[in-house]
């Protein structure tokens, strides 16, 4: 019987945040989440700076 490894990220309380069946999938999804978060924050900041430049 073949064992299957499951990679899991948990928070401080021990609750599962997300999981993956492969290490590369886990790392890839983690990097993707951080990049998408960065771009979302950058997009929001660009909108705020654009609105600020209209009123300056």
């Amino acid at each position: 019987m073949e064992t299957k490894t499951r990679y899991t990220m948990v928070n401080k309380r021990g609750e599962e945040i997300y999981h993956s069946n492969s290490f590369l999938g886990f790392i890839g999804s983690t990097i993707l989440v951080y990049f998408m978060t960065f771009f979302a924050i950058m997009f929001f900041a660009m909108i705020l700076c654009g609105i600020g430049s209209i009123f300056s």
Side-chain angles (χ1 to χ4, degrees):
M1 185 171 159
E2 185 178 332
T3 60
K4 201 173 210 182
T5 304
R6 182 175 173 183
Y7 298 92
T8 306
M9 182 178 283
V10 295
N11 61 10
K12 291 181 181 180
R13 290 185 267 170
E15 299 167 344
E16 181 179 316
I17 298 173
Y18 63 91
H19 67 274
S20 179
N21 290 331
S22 67
F23 183 72
L24 290 177
F26 182 76
I27 296 299
S29 63
T30 303
I31 290 172
L32 182 66
V33 166
Y34 286 124
F35 276 126
M36 295 305 285
T37 303
F38 170 74
F39 286 127
I41 292 171
M42 187 175 66
F43 183 71
F44 183 69
M46 287 172 29
I47 290 173
L48 289 179
C49 290
I51 292 172
S53 69
I54 292 172
F55 295 108
S56 64

